[in-house]
Amino acid sequence: MPVRPIVDYPAAVLLTPGDPVVNFDAGLESLAQDMFDTMYDAGGVGLAAQQIGVPLRLFVMDCDGVKLVAANPEIILTDGEQSGEEGCLSVGKVHADLKRPATAVVRAQDIQGETFEREAGGLAARCLLHETDHCDGILFIRHLSPLRRDLVTKRFRKLKNDR
Ligand code: NI
């Protein structure tokens, strides 16, 4: 299964909400497999389809014991607050502190199109929220203050140019 190239910020596909997944077929299954392979290859814990240039509301994750494929995800409940560092495979190795809810419940469809709900806490909750955001065309840096967002994007641009 091929590892696909990861699309970097500020590509338009990352900043645009994905299209709903409607075909739960073999093509979707192989796309999800490629996404897992790409995520593991990059050492990530979650990856959205937009990050490999596919404008669909689909993500995969394998984080803190929560491994799933989520099509058309929605966060239906959040609770509490957690602090911690967050990063994104599309924003290089630049991390930033970001407050997120402590727990989250996602409602989504699995690879066969069956609707499921999954609750997670800690890092896995952060991942659910981060990846669902991707499906809505939102990167984690959008949650930062303008000043910190500037700092992060400048560091990322510098890293990119130094590559
Ligand atoms: Ni990300």
Side-chain angles (χ1 to χ4, degrees), residues 131-158:
E131 300 311 329
T132 301
D133 271 354
H134 268 301
C135 295
D136 292 325
I138 296 169
L139 296 181
F140 81 101
I141 54 177
R142 233 191 54 206
H143 297 299
L144 303 175
S145 70
L147 195 72
R148 290 179 60 227
R149 182 161 57 230
D150 240 40
L151 217 66
V152 166
T153 51
K154 274 188 191 131
R155 266 162 62 205
F156 174 56
R157 284 204 186 97
K158 185 169 184 310

Side-chain angles (χ1 to χ4, degrees), residues 63-77:
C63 178
D64 223 9
V66 181
K67 182 177 177 182
L68 53 84
V69 177
N72 305 318
E74 283 177 88
I75 299 296
I76 56 170
L77 205 68

Side-chain angles (χ1 to χ4, degrees), residues 14 46-48 51 86-91 130-131 134 138-140:
L14 294 173
L47 187 82
Q51 293 182 273
E86 197 161 318
C88 178
L89 293 176
S90 294
V91 193
H130 179 113
E131 300 311 329
H134 268 301
I138 296 169
L139 296 181
F140 81 101

Side-chain angles (χ1 to χ4, degrees), residues 46-131:
L47 187 82
Q50 273 113 323
Q51 293 182 273
I52 55 166
V54 178
L56 279 180
R57 298 180 61 80
L58 178 74
F59 74 76
V60 300
M61 70 181 264
D62 186 355
C63 178
D64 223 9
V66 181
K67 182 177 177 182
L68 53 84
V69 177
N72 305 318
E74 283 177 88
I75 299 296
I76 56 170
L77 205 68
T78 59
D79 193 33
E81 190 177 80
Q82 61 171 314
S83 302
E85 280 217 313
E86 197 161 318
C88 178
L89 293 176
S90 294
V91 193
K93 290 193 161 48
V94 182
H95 291 76
D97 284 321
L98 180 60
K99 281 193 169 62
R100 290 279 197 181
T103 61
V105 180
V106 69
R107 179 184 293 152
Q109 286 165 279
D110 68 15
I111 198 73
Q112 271 95 38
E114 293 296 321
T115 299
F116 69 93
E117 288 178 12
R118 182 74 191 255
E119 182 174 356
L123 202 57
R126 186 178 285 280
C127 191
L128 281 182
L129 293 158
H130 179 113
E131 300 311 329

